Amino acid sequence: MDLIVDGVIQAFHLLVSGDPEVIQITLLSLKISGAATLISTCIGVLAGTVIALIRFPGRSVIVTLVNTGMGLPPVVVGLFVTILIWRSGPLGSIGLLYTPAGMVIAQTIIAAPIITGITLSAMQHLPGRLRLQILALGATRRQMVWLLMKEARLPLLTGVMAGFGGVISEIGASMMVGGNIKGYTRVLTTATVMETGKGNFAIAIALGVILLILALAVNFILTAIQQRK
Amino acid sequence: MYRKIVLMLFVLACAACLYPAAAGQKDIIFATTTSTQDTGLLDELIPVFEKKTGFRVKTIAVGSGQAMAMGERGEADLILAHSPEAEEQFMKRGFGVNRRIVMHNDFVILGPKRDAAKIRGLRSSPAALRKIASSHSLFISRGDNSGTHAKEQKLWKLAGITAEREKWYQQTGQGMGQTLFVANEKLGYTLCDRATYLALKRNIDLTLLVEGDASLMNIYHVIEINPKKFPRVNEAGGRAFADFWVSPETQKMIEEFGIKKYGAILFHPDAVK
C-alpha cells in the first residue's frame, strides 16, 4: 500500500518538478499515438463510410475483416511490422526499425480498423431514409456524405477515442518496433515495463499515473467536443 | 471535401516523415544483455560516448541469445553478450568480428530465507542444484536463451539433472529483473548475475545462498557484426563503440560505477590489465 501512495506522490512530484526525461517520454507518447490516431482517423472514417454506403461484391467479407481487425493483437502487429522493416526485410532500406516513424506505422495498423469498424456501424445505423431525404432535397453526393458524417459525429468521435485509447496504452508493438530506446522511442508503456524490471516501482507507478492522466485528459477534451450542444 | 481529406493525409504523411527516420550511419544499434540496462550501467556510459563521438546509440536490451540472433541477421551493429560458448559458435559461423573481453562478475544462487533445500553456504553449485532437485524446491529459470539461462543449463548438466519437465522447475521467459521478482513472490530459487542482484537487492527478500564457485564465473564480451556479411551494418559506429568499451577511461568508469551507486563493484573491468 505504501508503495502505491509513494508512487502517486512521486508521480505528482515528477510532473510538478518538470523532470525533463519524464516530460520527454510523455510528449513522445502523445506525439506518436496522436499521429497514429490522426492518420487512422483519416483512413478509418473514409474507409468506414465507403463500406457503409456502397454495396459491392465481397462486402460482407470486408466487414468481417474490419471487425476482426478491431481486435488485432498489438504484439502480432508488432511482429509483422518488425519483420517487414528490419534491415533484411522487404522495406529494410528505409531504415524504419527502432524509429518513432516505425511506431506510428504499427500503431496506425492497430487503430485504423477500430476507427473503421466504429465508423461503419455508425453510418449504417443512420436511418436509411435520411439518405433519400437528403438527395431529394437536391444535395449532391458529396454534400450527402458530408451531412451523413455530421449526423454520425457522436459515434465517430467515440471511434477516435477508442482508437487513441488502444494505441496509447499498447505495449507489444511499441516495444518490438520502437525498441524502448532512451530519449528516442521510449514511451510511457515501455518505460513502465523497464522501470519495473529495474525495481524502480515508484517511478513505474508514477509513469502509470501519468499515462492514466493523459488518457483521461484526451478523452475529456474529446468528450467535451462530442457532447457540445 | 475530398480535396480537404487528401490534403490532410498529405500533411500527415509529411509530418510522419519529419520524424528523424533514416538518420543513417549516425545510429548504432546495440544489442545487449538485460543486466547492463537493469543495473543502470548503460545510462552512465552511453551519454559519455554519444557526447564524445556524435554517434547515437540505439540500445536494445535483450538476452544474450536474442542479441546474437539479431547479429545473425545483421540487425545489430554491436553486441554485448555473456554466453561464451554460444559466442564462440557465433564467431565460428562468421557473423561477428573482433570479439573482445570487457568485464566480468559472477553468478550467485539466490533463494528464500527459509532455504528448504538447505543449500546455504555450499561450495559447489552443481551440488546445490542437486539438493534443490531432490527436495523438489521451486526453481525459477529465465528460460529466454540469455547468457544467464545458458549458464544455468550448463550447471544443470554438470549436476546431471534434466530439470526442464519437472513440476518444480518454471521458466519466466523474461529479463533478469522480472525473473527475480517472480522468484521473490513465489519463494523460489534462482540463478542471477551479481550485478543485477546487487542493484535489485533492496527490492527483494531473497538471500544469497551460494557463491564463489569457479563454474559461476560470468564474462562479458563485445562483438562487432561482420560488415562483409551484412552490408547495411554500421561498421564505423560498431567499431567506435566497441573501442569505447575497452578504452582505459571507460574501464575505469565501469569499475567505479557500482561503488558509487551500490557500494560494491558490479562489473570488474578486464580489457585493460
Side-chain angles (χ1 to χ4, degrees):
Chain A
M1 202 51 219
D2 287 355
L3 200 61
I4 298 176
V5 175
D6 265 11
V8 173
I9 292 171
Q10 195 164 353
F12 283 104
H13 187 76
L14 284 173
L15 276 177
V16 172
S17 69
D19 181 272
E21 196 176 344
V22 171
I23 291 189
Q24 192 268 331
I25 291 174
T26 309
L27 286 180
L28 186 67
S29 296
L30 258 182
K31 260 196 235 164
I32 291 176
S33 297
T37 310
L38 268 174
I39 300 172
S40 304
T41 304
C42 297
I43 300 172
V45 170
L46 207 67
T49 308
V50 168
I51 302 168
L53 298 183
I54 301 172
R55 309 283 130 175
F56 53 90
R59 184 175 171 279
S60 62
V61 177
I62 300 281
V63 173
T64 310
L65 284 179
V66 168
N67 286 336
T68 311
M70 289 175 78
L72 220 51
V75 266
V76 179
V77 174
L79 178 63
F80 281 108
V81 172
T82 304
I83 292 173
L84 276 177
I85 64 177
W86 66 19
R87 281 176 179 166
S88 49
L91 302 175
S93 55
I94 318 172
L96 282 174
L97 192 58
Y98 309 134
T99 62
M103 295 167 79
V104 171
I105 294 173
Q107 294 198 351
T108 301
I109 296 174
I110 296 165
I114 297 176
I115 300 179
T116 309
I118 295 177
T119 303
L120 172 61
S121 89
M123 299 300 262
Q124 274 191 323
H125 272 91
L126 293 174
R129 264 176 268 166
L130 189 61
R131 266 164 88 181
L132 295 177
Q133 207 174 1
I134 294 172
L135 288 176
L137 286 169
T140 63
R141 264 178 79 120
R142 280 184 192 187
Q143 285 170 326
M144 187 262 297
V145 172
W146 184 237
L147 280 170
L148 288 180
M149 277 184 179
K150 266 174 120 174
E151 202 56 39
R153 67 187 181 282
L154 294 184
L156 289 191
L157 270 169
T158 308
V160 176
M161 284 188 259
F164 180 77
V167 290
I168 189 92
S169 59
E170 169 284 320
I171 175 143
S174 293
M175 196 59 124
M176 271 195 244
V177 178
N180 189 33
I181 295 161
K182 192 182 180 183
Y184 187 55
T185 59
R186 183 165 297 169
V187 291
L188 285 167
T189 49
T190 59
T192 306
V193 169
M194 189 199 61
E195 294 299 347
T196 308
K198 281 180 166 180
N200 297 330
F201 297 116
I203 297 178
I205 294 171
L207 291 169
V209 170
I210 294 171
L211 185 60
L212 282 175
I213 294 175
L214 208 65
L216 197 72
V218 169
N219 280 308
F220 183 79
I221 295 168
L222 285 174
T223 311
I225 299 172
Q226 189 190 43
Q227 301 298 327
R228 196 176 45 186
K229 285 279 144 61
Chain B
M1 199 217 47
Y2 286 121
R3 213 178 297 156
K4 251 191 215 162
I5 290 178
V6 171
L7 196 75
M8 225 166 124
L9 275 175
F10 179 72
V11 170
L12 282 170
C14 290
C17 293
L18 275 182
Y19 281 115
Q25 297 301 72
K26 254 193 79 216
D27 289 354
I28 302 165
I29 297 183
F30 175 53
T32 179
T33 69
T34 56
S35 51
T36 50
Q37 174 161 287
D38 284 353
T39 52
L41 177 66
L42 296 181
D43 290 342
E44 189 110 348
L45 297 185
I46 288 176
V48 176
F49 172 75
E50 288 182 332
K51 215 167 166 189
K52 216 182 205 167
T53 60
F55 283 110
R56 180 171 56 195
V57 179
K58 300 166 110 184
T59 304
I60 310 298
V62 289
S64 293
Q66 200 183 330
M68 275 181 270
M70 284 174 71
E72 277 175 28
R73 304 192 54 90
E75 301 299 338
D77 302 314
L78 182 72
I79 61 180
L80 179 70
H82 64 135
S83 194
E85 275 138 43
E87 287 163 36
E88 275 152 28
Q89 277 301 313
F90 184 83
M91 297 302 290
K92 229 182 246 163
R93 288 160 69 200
F95 296 119
V97 290
N98 219 355
R99 175 170 175 251
R100 287 181 274 180
I101 188 165
V102 175
M103 57 197 184
H104 78 271
N105 56 21
D106 60 344
F107 289 103
V108 293
I109 299 179
L110 307 175
K113 287 204 178 85
R114 263 187 45 236
D115 186 23
K118 302 216 165 32
I119 63 166
R120 190 188 305 267
L122 283 184
R123 281 259 143 250
S124 144
S125 48
L129 290 187
R130 272 195 292 271
K131 284 189 112 173
I132 291 172
S134 61
S135 63
H136 292 244
S137 305
L138 182 64
F139 187 93
I140 306 293
S141 165
R142 287 279 291 274
D144 63 348
N145 245 339
S146 59
T148 309
H149 186 213
K151 171 66 86 179
E152 180 214 308
Q153 285 173 316
K154 202 178 153 200
L155 293 177
W156 284 115
K157 213 170 171 189
L158 283 175
I161 291 165
T162 24
E164 288 278 320
R165 291 212 192 106
E166 301 291 343
K167 262 212 179 104
W168 47 265
Y169 183 83
Q170 297 180 355
Q171 307 193 345
T172 64
Q174 300 200 60
M176 194 67 251
Q178 297 286 358
T179 303
L180 267 190
F181 297 131
V182 173
N184 190 49
E185 288 302 316
K186 303 185 84 163
L187 296 175
Y189 291 87
T190 193
L191 181 73
C192 182
D193 64 283
R194 190 180 291 271
T196 308
Y197 166 64
L198 287 174
L200 297 181
K201 211 169 138 187
R202 63 196 162 93
N203 298 111
I204 55 172
D205 298 323
L206 298 177
T207 49
L208 198 165
L209 296 170
V210 176
E211 63 178 326
D213 181 347
S215 62
L216 290 174
M217 186 77 166
N218 182 24
I219 305 168
Y220 294 81
H221 286 87
V222 279
I223 304 174
E224 294 156 45
I225 302 306
N226 189 354
K228 292 208 182 72
K229 213 155 184 152
F230 307 102
R232 283 201 190 122
V233 158
N234 181 355
E235 183 181 4
R239 170 67 47 86
F241 197 33
D243 287 346
F244 170 80
W245 274 99
V246 299
S247 74
E249 300 87 59
T250 311
Q251 293 278 303
K252 196 155 172 258
M253 281 167 64
I254 291 173
E255 184 158 28
E256 285 165 0
F257 164 68
I259 301 171
K260 226 180 350 181
K261 213 166 164 191
Y262 305 105
I265 294 179
L266 261 55
F267 299 99
H268 301 268
D270 281 325
V272 184
K273 282 277 145 101

